[in-house]
Amino acid sequence: MNTEKTGIAIIAPGGYVPDSDLQRAIGVLKSRGYEVFNYVDPQKRHERFAANDEERSRQIMEAATNPDVKIVIALRGGYGTTRLLHDLDFAKLAKSGKLFVGHSDFTVFEMALLKHGAVSFSGPMIQSDFTRGDLSAFTVNHFDETMTSPETSLNWVSKDNPDVDVEGTLWGGNLTMLAHLAGTPWMPDISGGILFVEDIHEHPYRVERMLLQLDEAGILKKQKALVLGHFSEFKLSDYDNGYDFNAMLSWLRSRLSIPVVTGLPFGHTKDKVTLPVGGRAHLMSKAGKIQLDIGDYPTVR
């Protein structure tokens, strides 16, 4: 793969990061051959956000209209992207041809793009994927490969999964943000899809509650499969009395009408894949071995 001279823009739809971290990430991207266009000004921090709402919206639209930019990557998650949805021209963003990348809070942006027919990418962000001292070769290499190759194939091993062989639109992202969008104009209506979800700091009962919300809203019932990524950094208590993630998963599988597959290497973790949101996918699971083939998505080439 060759990313030399590929323009990548950094935008901040939500929270801020220390300027030293931003500069470290810019150095990493440049060392990998990217031409970096930084739209984030640390001097414009506003409350818990990287800038006020108007400025953060402006960054996105300016990056989308810069002819030298091919990829637009989010600075970090946290919170703030939802505040911008009504101010952004998603019809124009969808037609821009830019490859928008991020996860977590950025999921709402990706759903709005998908609603307008555009593919984006659930993948790394500046913080903390490109600011880590122990940079993940797996994460950055898969990011580069997905940006430049029209097809990608993932393989992983995860126990106690059902046998599955389905095809459909790959979509999803952060579970909290997906539940947050249910019933809003920003939620795409996907039928026959393969929905992937992940989250952080969410106790198993809250994961269950959000998935039930998506099910009762009629969203899960329309899918061919649900794929779980990482659910990290939650803490059980004595009160749970054995109700851990596996117990929740077992009950959920007894309730849902679609298969639930686990182990997708994606989430708030060091090692994560880059997933085309809106690409065409083929999911196969048999005897604990899972393969996800994805194609039909735009690249920088």
Side-chain angles (χ1 to χ4, degrees):
M1 96 212 74
N2 181 14
T3 58
E4 187 175 0
K5 301 301 182 183
T6 296
I8 185 168
I10 301 173
I11 58 165
Y16 62 86
V17 304
D19 187 47
S20 58
D21 284 359
L22 175 59
Q23 296 306 318
R24 182 183 303 114
I26 289 173
V28 170
L29 289 169
K30 286 182 176 179
S31 72
R32 299 186 68 81
Y34 291 100
E35 183 179 5
V36 179
F37 297 83
N38 177 36
Y39 287 87
V40 181
D41 183 352
Q43 301 303 314
K44 293 186 176 181
R45 292 174 188 165
H46 175 71
E47 297 173 340
R48 63 175 291 120
F49 310 106
N52 63 34
D53 294 353
E54 181 181 3
E55 168 65 18
R56 301 197 320 278
S57 295
R58 183 193 64 78
Q59 291 177 17
I60 295 171
M61 297 309 301
E62 287 192 3
T65 55
N66 184 339
D68 294 320
V69 168
K70 300 297 184 182
I71 301 168
V72 180
I73 189 168
L75 180 70
R76 60 157 296 163
Y79 172 69
T81 309
T82 304
R83 294 169 60 142
L84 311 182
L85 295 180
H86 283 284
D87 297 324
L88 295 171
D89 186 342
F90 278 99
K92 186 174 183 178
L93 290 168
K95 294 177 181 177
S96 69
K98 308 305 182 188
L99 309 184
F100 292 93
V101 186
H103 65 281
S104 194
D105 182 63
F106 199 60
T107 296
V108 297
F109 182 92
E110 296 174 327
M111 291 302 99
L113 274 182
L114 187 57
K115 182 76 177 282
H116 285 77
V119 175
S120 59
F121 297 83
S122 279
M125 295 187 289
I126 295 302
Q127 176 82 291
S128 60
D129 296 299
F130 287 97
T131 60
R132 304 182 67 97
D134 57 341
L135 191 69
S136 168
F138 176 86
T139 296
V140 296
N141 286 339
H142 194 263
F143 168 70
D144 289 348
E145 291 168 4
T146 308
M147 293 297 98
T148 57
S149 173
E151 295 179 342
T152 187
S153 184
L154 312 175
N155 294 271
W156 69 91
V157 176
S158 186
K159 296 179 180 179
D160 302 321
N161 276 296
D163 289 351
V164 177
D165 191 339
V166 296
E167 295 185 55
T169 300
L170 182 70
W171 71 294
N174 180 260
L175 177 57
T176 296
M177 304 318 295
L178 292 171
H180 165 57
L181 288 186
T184 73
W186 312 108
M187 190 67 159
D189 185 7
I190 305 295
S191 296
I194 298 171
L195 176 64
F196 68 92
V197 295
E198 60 81 30
D199 221 316
I200 186 171
H201 301 310
E202 294 294 348
H203 193 285
Y205 82 85
R206 293 201 291 259
V207 173
E208 177 186 302
R209 183 170 61 193
M210 288 186 284
L211 287 172
L212 287 179
Q213 179 182 354
L214 295 182
D215 190 50
E216 295 294 343
I219 294 170
L220 292 190
K221 294 178 177 67
K222 293 182 180 180
Q223 309 311 310
K224 291 185 177 178
L226 173 66
V227 184
L228 304 186
H230 288 278
F231 287 80
S232 54
E233 297 187 31
F234 62 86
K235 186 177 181 180
L236 299 176
S237 69
D238 292 341
Y239 190 81
D240 291 296
N241 193 32
Y243 177 78
D244 57 12
F245 197 90
N246 287 333
M248 180 275 293
L249 178 60
S250 178
W251 184 87
L252 195 67
R253 281 174 164 157
S254 73
R255 166 68 181 267
L256 299 181
S257 60
I258 61 173
V260 181
V261 175
T262 62
L264 178 70
F266 179 74
H268 287 71
T269 56
K270 176 182 175 180
D271 296 328
K272 63 174 63 68
V273 293
T274 299
L275 299 168
V277 178
R280 188 71 182 174
H282 183 190
L283 174 68
M284 295 162 285
S285 171
K286 191 173 181 62
K289 296 181 179 179
I290 300 128
Q291 181 169 329
L292 181 63
D293 298 324
I294 317 167
D296 195 22
Y297 58 86
T299 68
V300 298
R301 296 289 180 256

